[in-house]
Every structure is written in structure tokens, then in C-alpha cells.
Amino acid sequence: MDESTSKFDRRNFLAGSLAAVLASAADAASFGQAPVPAAKAPGGPLKIDAVELMELHGRYTEPAGVDGQWQVNPLDVYDDLRPQPYKDQPSGARQVQTSAIYLRIRTAAGLDGLYGPIEKSAAIVVQTDLRPFLMGKDALAGEALWDQMYRSNRHSRDGLFMMAISAVDNTLWDIRGKYYGVPVYRLLGGPTRPSVEMYASCLGFSLEPEKVRTRALSLQSEGYRYQKWFMGYGPGSGPEGMRKNVELVRILRETLGDDTELMFDAYSGWDQDYALEWAQQVERYRPHWIEEATHPEKIDSFAAIRRSTSIPVASGEHFYGRWEVERYLQAGALSVVQADPEWCGGTSELLRIGTVASLHDVPVIPHGHSLRAAIHIIASQSPMTFPLGEYLVNKMRHYYHFERDPLTPEKAHIALPTGVGFNVQLDPARIESQTMLKVE
């Protein structure tokens, strides 16, 4: 929706006319996506009368024998749980069976919200705990509902319950966008820029030196000024693993020169001493950050690493809520916050986390597990606080398989979405079957 279409006549809107919304959603009736109906005049409640979890099934084709590089993880300290060194071995194509769960919240006025994909473990919590609680509530009362969901269960402060709250919160934002006939970033106060710059997240790409050089140069030629690579080795791999981790940094810097920023992710597979040894050897190559050097509960270790190296320290994809972020920032433990709007508490909570981070002059670069909410939030906030987004190059090729218009970068930027709400449009041609998730 451009400026001209978003500035519809307010008097007509107050009278209940949503012609602009109806026009933008005219083709959404297929596969359970009804066109956006006329809504009641603002001020009254929009009662929730159904909470549905749709599991979609389909398939896609992808190259076989490539892009399967593992990353170091906490289990790598066990010899029998550590994968063998990886090499790309192209072997044609393969068909992949895939599924995804989407959350749909219906209202008595006929206005629906749709968001996804969401993880099955979180979907079960939505179905068993939050669905009964939400029935009859006002879908427009987002702040009240977030607080009530948070207070409704003693386990709500983190983990699967907070992920379930995130799914509901994001779906409610979609309803609000449709109700007011604008993209979510408009409701959040944006846009603050015409597009969102992304960094290339290289999970899955081979760490073979020549493959690293080829892929890194290809991404640079596509316009990515920032690349993140994933460490393949940790303490369990001994000195040889450390040598390979250092070598990866050297190869990338020598290949890309000084105009590309390089980030590295250890996925909680290291400890404090290992991280500091690595940092000492690679500081000369100026990494832009080291991410999740150890387990997220070890705040003191993150603080010690940050004090002991010039390399910025990033973490946060496994943070739940503003309180955890504040504890990290008070301890001086982070240079970059990476909270995920699908996990941290949704759009509403990531906005609050942004406010907390801004008090400490620390940027928020949301984890790129999913993109819909993150793009709208980044686009609506100050570039000082939300400067970038993460694009998982391999994962995103098929992550939105069931959608008509997945968010895709061009020259490392994602253009601002134009549809109302989050504008999630399912593609019936890609859906082989659909079931409603039920938990007895």
C-alpha cells in the first residue's frame, strides 16, 4: 500500500467503510482466507470467537548433497555426538516433504488475523492454554491481552509459553493492521526508511576454504555489506578445531577485503576461555561480533568476554522478555541484542526490548528465524536502535513455501511490505493437504 492508498478518507472509515482494505484483499478468499470485511466503528470491542491452528503439508525440490554444513553446538563436547567433518557432495536433486503451522484468530465481526509459520511446540501451548483464555476477549486490546497472557501461567516468563504468547501477539497485530487498513509498521509509527537492509546469514554453507571464498564473493556481489558465518568447531575438537575456526576468519577477511563486515556465531557451543582464546587470535581481522559464545544463562561469562576483547559481543535469540535483556545490559554483557519476535514475546515485547536497549545505546538486530514481524518492527523504529535485519540465505529459500509473496531481498534490502497487517497470503497451489491441529 503506497502513501496514496493508505490515506483513505477518515470519515468514511469511521462510518465503517473499508473499501481500500477490501480491494487489497480481494483475492484472499481461497483456502480459508476470507476477504477483509467491513469492521465496526472504532471504539467498540472486536471479540475473538475462534483460535485455529492450521497445519499445511506439501513438498518442494532442492539440490541434494549441498548446504548441509553443521554448526558447533553444546553437545559437541561429546565425541559420539559430534558430526564428522562436512564436505559438499552434489548429487542432483531431491524432493522434500514439508509442513508448516499457521495461527488464525477469528473475530465475531468477521475479521481474521493470520500469522506463521510457528513452531509446533509453541502451537500446542496456544491450543491447550491460550485458546480457551482468548475466547470472547477483545482482539484490539493488545496490551491488556499480552499482560493477561503473561500473568495467566506460572511458566509464562520464558520458553514455550513465551513463544506461544509471541504467536498470539503477532496474529493480533495482523488483525489490528487489517482493522485500520494499514501495514503493521504504520501502526508502530513508521516507516523510518524505504527498505530494510539485511545481513547474509550463512548457516549451512560448507566451510571448505574454496567453497567459503566462492560463496562469500557471491554474496558480496549481491550487495551484502554484512555476512555472518557459523563456527564448525568447539572445545571438543581440540587445537585442530581452533585452528580451523581462526582460519575461517582469516580466509573471509582476505577474500572480502575491508569493506564487508564479518560476524561469527558459536551457537552456545563454546565456553568463556575458548571464546577468549579465539578472540585473541582473530582480533586483527576485526570481526563485527561474536554471537552466543556460550550458554545464554551465563551472563557473567558474556560480560567477561566483552571486557576482555575489542570484538563486540552479540546474543539474544534465546532471550524471553525485556527483563532478561535488562539484566544483560546492566551487567555490561552485550554489544548487540538479537531478540526474536517469534520467541521473545512477539511484536509488542520486541518494541519494549528496543526501548530498554536504547537506554544503554545498544542496537537491536532481531534474530532471523522468521521475517514478517521483524521487518515491520525494524522499519518502524529508529535506525540507531534497529539498524539491520538477518536473512538466513539457505533457510529462507523454502521457509515460506506455502505463501504467495515471501519477503525476499534485492541488493541486500527488503522493500517495505504494502499489504494490510502482515499480509500473509497462502498459496493454494502449494498446499497438498491441510489439517487442523488438535490436542486432546
Side-chain angles (χ1 to χ4, degrees):
M1 183 181 297
D2 59 23
E3 285 288 321
S4 62
T5 58
S6 66
K7 294 180 179 177
F8 51 83
D9 191 299
R10 179 169 176 79
R11 288 173 297 177
N12 287 341
F13 174 71
L14 292 173
S17 172
L18 285 176
V21 182
L22 288 168
S24 68
D27 64 344
S30 60
F31 223 86
Q33 291 176 266
V36 178
K40 295 179 180 178
L46 196 64
K47 289 188 177 181
I48 296 170
D49 67 358
V51 177
E52 302 170 347
L53 292 144
M54 304 179 296
E55 188 165 19
L56 311 178
H57 306 274
R59 72 188 73 194
Y60 57 81
T61 301
E62 70 173 8
V66 297
D67 299 335
Q69 171 70 52
W70 47 270
Q71 62 179 314
V72 65
N73 69 76
L75 285 173
D76 278 14
V77 296
Y78 292 95
D79 292 343
D80 58 334
L81 298 177
R82 189 181 318 119
Q84 294 297 313
Y86 171 82
K87 291 185 178 181
D88 274 351
Q89 295 179 321
S91 57
R94 62 171 185 150
Q95 271 210 338
V96 178
Q97 298 284 339
T98 189
S99 63
I101 296 174
Y102 284 78
L103 173 60
R104 180 167 55 201
I105 297 179
R106 297 185 183 275
T107 68
L111 196 65
D112 297 352
L114 183 68
Y115 195 85
I118 65 173
E119 295 180 48
K120 191 164 190 175
S121 51
I124 291 171
V125 177
V126 173
Q127 178 73 11
T128 57
D129 292 88
L130 296 181
R131 183 185 61 81
F133 178 81
L134 290 166
M135 298 299 291
K137 300 293 197 305
D138 181 5
L140 297 179
E143 286 293 317
L145 283 178
W146 197 100
D147 191 56
Q148 290 167 11
M149 288 189 291
Y150 176 75
R151 294 174 182 272
S152 70
N153 190 288
R154 59 185 172 178
H155 299 297
S156 65
R157 68 185 181 276
D158 60 20
L160 299 180
F161 208 99
M162 186 61 84
M163 290 164 63
I165 291 175
S166 303
V168 172
D169 182 75
N170 290 333
T171 309
L172 293 176
W173 276 104
D174 184 56
I175 289 176
R176 271 170 265 167
K178 290 172 179 174
Y179 185 84
Y180 291 107
V182 294
V184 170
Y185 61 78
R186 284 289 191 192
L187 299 179
L188 304 180
T192 57
R193 66 204 89 174
S195 62
V196 174
E197 184 173 7
M198 310 300 289
Y199 73 82
S201 198
C202 300
L203 180 62
F205 290 134
S206 173
L207 297 182
E208 300 166 84
E210 287 307 313
K211 299 291 177 61
V212 169
R213 293 186 183 97
T214 299
R215 172 53 67 182
L217 287 170
S218 175
L219 291 169
Q220 188 181 58
S221 71
E222 292 173 29
Y224 287 102
R225 300 191 302 151
Y226 303 80
Q227 295 185 25
K228 184 172 79 181
W229 288 76
F230 292 75
M231 292 294 165
Y233 306 94
S237 297
E240 177 65 10
M242 176 64 76
R243 185 191 67 77
K244 290 180 178 179
N245 286 334
V246 172
E247 187 76 353
L248 174 64
V249 183
R250 181 189 66 79
I251 289 171
L252 285 165
R253 178 55 69 209
E254 292 178 355
T255 299
L256 297 173
D258 293 331
D259 293 334
T260 297
E261 297 287 2
L262 297 170
M263 299 91 91
F264 299 92
D265 190 337
Y267 195 58
S268 300
W270 295 354
D271 59 19
Q272 178 180 320
D273 289 343
Y274 192 94
L276 289 175
E277 181 182 348
W278 174 84
Q280 184 179 25
Q281 295 190 53
V282 303
E283 276 185 318
R284 55 183 165 165
Y285 302 118
R286 297 183 300 98
H288 196 58
W289 74 55
I290 177 61
E291 178 176 332
E292 286 202 311
T294 188
H295 282 230
E297 67 272 16
K298 298 178 180 178
I299 297 178
D300 290 345
S301 290
F302 279 90
I305 294 168
R306 189 166 183 249
R307 287 194 303 269
S308 303
T309 177
S310 62
I311 300 172
V313 174
S315 190
E317 69 184 75
H318 298 118
F319 287 175
Y320 302 101
R322 73 206 90 142
W323 304 277
E324 190 166 15
V325 174
E326 175 64 5
R327 287 193 291 271
Y328 262 83
L329 297 179
Q330 287 287 356
L334 285 183
S335 312
V336 180
V337 171
Q338 297 171 303
D340 189 311
E342 269 72 33
W343 298 344
C344 74
T347 296
S348 297
E349 190 64 10
L350 186 54
L351 289 169
R352 301 182 192 112
I353 286 171
T355 298
V356 170
S358 71
L359 296 174
H360 296 265
D361 267 348
V362 170
V364 179
I365 302 178
H367 177 238
H369 164 77
S370 192
L371 291 174
R372 292 285 181 191
I375 291 299
H376 284 258
I377 295 165
I378 296 168
S380 73
Q381 303 299 299
S382 168
M384 181 66 75
T385 304
F386 285 87
L388 283 173
E390 176 180 12
Y391 188 76
L392 281 152
V393 178
N394 279 321
K395 178 178 180 176
M396 290 300 149
R397 286 174 181 159
H398 302 293
Y399 184 72
Y400 292 111
H401 172 74
F402 297 106
E403 298 184 23
R404 286 178 173 166
D405 188 23
L407 298 171
T408 306
E410 292 188 13
K411 296 182 179 178
H413 286 72
I414 290 180
L416 297 191
T418 57
V420 295
F422 286 122
N423 196 35
V424 178
Q425 299 286 337
L426 300 180
D427 183 354
R430 292 176 172 265
I431 301 170
E432 296 181 2
S433 64
Q434 171 182 328
T435 56
M436 302 305 291
L437 183 66
K438 295 185 182 296
V439 181
E440 302 298 336

